[in-house]
């Protein structure tokens, strides 16, 4: 194969750009090189998403999803189902505009906002997630995009106990997290704030929502299968439905390990 001088230069330029981008995204954790774009190193997918149906746990005073069969293959030659639900149903993500006026909806973020390196922080045996505990993870938090908090509430899904008080961030812990370049944090529970504080929504009743969403740290709620995640860094993905002006959206959350 014969290359012209121009084609050789273009090829070398493209290779240089590839190498620069490759190493630009490399991070080091526990002596290992981590790059979220090197998918061949990741050979297992873990589904972190609850099955969406009419029997899921829904936030108090929120309508449950409704599924209505509109057409069937037997009758019409094709199948189609009408779904009625709020955007914050099942495993879902909160946008800043869910709580704060004049802030971004989910469709205003680029796709890379919903994909990145993540770690799991276990807190099943804690009543709250305080600053002292979070600081033990400081070095790795500075290297990742998402934190997933394993409260153990995934085991209470579809029970009345699911909406009991669960471990949540203290105010100072939430504020401390805003200094990092986090894309989002997730929980296997119903909220980043306790439910008894949400009778009237305000910065004082839902403090963590206001603190984190003001810094565009997205909130992923109702995750599951967090017990299947490793101790180290893994890749996390939580792509929302592309709905205009979306204050939230169901997601198919997955981990790649």
């Amino acid at each position: 194969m014969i290359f012209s001088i121009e084609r050789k230069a273009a090829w070398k330029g493209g290779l240089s750009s590839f190498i620069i981008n490759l190493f630009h995204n490399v991070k080091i954790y526990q002596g290992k090189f981590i790059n979220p774009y090197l998918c061949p190193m990741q050979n297992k997918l873990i589904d972190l998403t609850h099955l969406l149906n009419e029997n899921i746990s829904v936030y108090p005073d929120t309508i449950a999803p409704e599924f209505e069969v509109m057409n069937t293959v037997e009758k019409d030659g094709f199948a189609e189902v009408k779904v009625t639900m709020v955007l914050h149903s099942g495993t879902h993500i909160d946008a800043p505009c869910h709580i704060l006026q004049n802030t971004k909806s989910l469709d205003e973020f680029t796709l890379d906002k919903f994909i990145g390196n993540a770690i799991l922080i276990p807190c099943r045996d804690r009543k709250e997630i305080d600053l002292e505990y979070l600081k033990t993870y400081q070095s790795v938090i500075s290297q990742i995009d998402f934190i997933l908090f394993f409260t153990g509430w995934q085991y209470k899904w579809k029970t009345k106990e699911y909406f009991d008080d669960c471990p949540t961030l203290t105010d100072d812990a939430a504020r401390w997290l805003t200094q990092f370049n986090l894309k989002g944090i997730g929980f296997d529970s119903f909220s980043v704030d306790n439910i008894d504080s949400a009778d009237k929504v305000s910065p004082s009743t839902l403090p963590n929502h206001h603190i984190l969403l003001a810094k565009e740290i997205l909130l992923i709620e109702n995750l599951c299968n967090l017990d299947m995640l490793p101790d180290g860094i893994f890749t996390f993905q939580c792509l929302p439905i592309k709905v205009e002006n979306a204050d939230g959206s169901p997601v198919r959350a997955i981990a790649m390990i």
Side-chain angles (χ1 to χ4, degrees), residues 18-32:
F18 171 78
I19 294 173
I20 290 171
N21 288 329
L22 181 67
F23 285 96
H24 175 73
N25 289 291
V26 168
K27 299 178 182 180
I28 299 175
Y29 175 63
Q30 294 184 347
K32 298 180 180 179

Side-chain angles (χ1 to χ4, degrees), residues 58-72:
V58 295
Y59 203 81
D61 299 324
T62 300
I63 64 169
E66 297 179 358
F67 295 79
E68 180 183 356
V69 176
M70 305 297 291
N71 303 92
T72 65

Side-chain angles (χ1 to χ4, degrees), residues 38-54:
L38 295 181
C39 295
M41 298 296 292
Q42 300 161 332
N43 54 17
K44 185 177 182 181
L45 299 179
I46 299 177
D47 192 352
L48 307 180
T49 313
H50 284 292
L51 182 65
L52 191 60
N53 56 40
E54 294 182 343

Side-chain angles (χ1 to χ4, degrees), residues 19-253:
I19 294 173
I20 290 171
N21 288 329
L22 181 67
F23 285 96
H24 175 73
N25 289 291
V26 168
K27 299 178 182 180
I28 299 175
Y29 175 63
Q30 294 184 347
K32 298 180 180 179
F33 290 99
I34 305 293
N35 190 307
Y37 304 108
L38 295 181
C39 295
M41 298 296 292
Q42 300 161 332
N43 54 17
K44 185 177 182 181
L45 299 179
I46 299 177
D47 192 352
L48 307 180
T49 313
H50 284 292
L51 182 65
L52 191 60
N53 56 40
E54 294 182 343
N55 301 312
I56 65 170
S57 296
V58 295
Y59 203 81
D61 299 324
T62 300
I63 64 169
E66 297 179 358
F67 295 79
E68 180 183 356
V69 176
M70 305 297 291
N71 303 92
T72 65
V73 173
E74 181 181 15
K75 178 183 177 182
D76 306 296
F78 68 97
E80 195 163 60
V81 175
K82 176 184 176 181
V83 181
T84 303
M85 67 179 186
V86 298
L87 289 173
H88 300 261
S89 297
T91 304
H92 69 273
I93 189 169
D94 289 355
C97 69
H98 176 49
I99 295 292
L100 304 167
Q101 288 186 336
N102 303 316
T103 55
K104 285 184 179 180
S105 55
L106 292 177
D107 53 298
E108 294 181 286
F109 290 101
T110 57
L111 283 175
D112 65 300
K113 181 70 171 178
F114 309 104
I115 304 172
N117 286 331
I119 60 165
L120 180 75
I121 294 184
C123 44
R124 292 183 63 185
D125 300 324
R126 310 187 70 84
K127 292 185 177 180
E128 61 182 14
I129 308 167
D130 58 26
L131 179 55
E132 182 180 2
Y133 181 56
L134 281 188
K135 282 187 174 180
T136 63
Y137 292 89
Q138 181 170 355
S139 62
V140 66
I141 290 175
S142 65
Q143 303 179 54
I144 50 92
D145 305 300
F146 293 92
I147 302 173
L148 305 186
F149 292 96
F150 181 27
T151 69
W153 251 242
Q154 65 181 43
Y155 302 120
K156 301 182 181 185
W157 181 249
K158 296 201 292 187
T159 71
K160 62 180 181 180
E161 289 79 19
Y162 189 69
F163 295 104
D164 291 346
D165 285 349
C166 60
T168 55
L169 294 165
T170 60
D171 292 6
D172 57 344
R175 290 191 183 90
W176 183 76
L177 286 177
T178 63
Q179 71 180 294
F180 299 96
N181 294 320
L182 292 172
K183 296 179 180 180
I185 64 173
F187 291 80
D188 64 332
S189 58
F190 55 87
S191 178
V192 68
D193 286 293
N194 282 324
I195 196 170
D196 59 0
S197 65
D199 292 334
K200 184 177 181 180
V201 176
S202 71
S204 61
T205 58
L206 292 179
N208 293 333
H209 276 79
H210 284 79
I211 292 168
L212 296 164
L213 291 175
K215 296 296 184 179
E216 296 188 352
I217 297 176
L218 304 179
L219 306 177
I220 306 98
E221 298 168 338
N222 298 331
L223 292 165
C224 64
N225 295 329
L226 299 191
D227 55 316
M228 299 176 64
L229 296 176
D231 293 332
I233 293 177
F234 53 90
T235 299
F236 176 69
Q237 174 177 306
C238 55
L239 293 171
I241 302 171
K242 194 173 183 180
V243 176
E244 188 174 11
N245 300 321
D247 53 80
S249 172
V251 297
R252 187 64 179 265

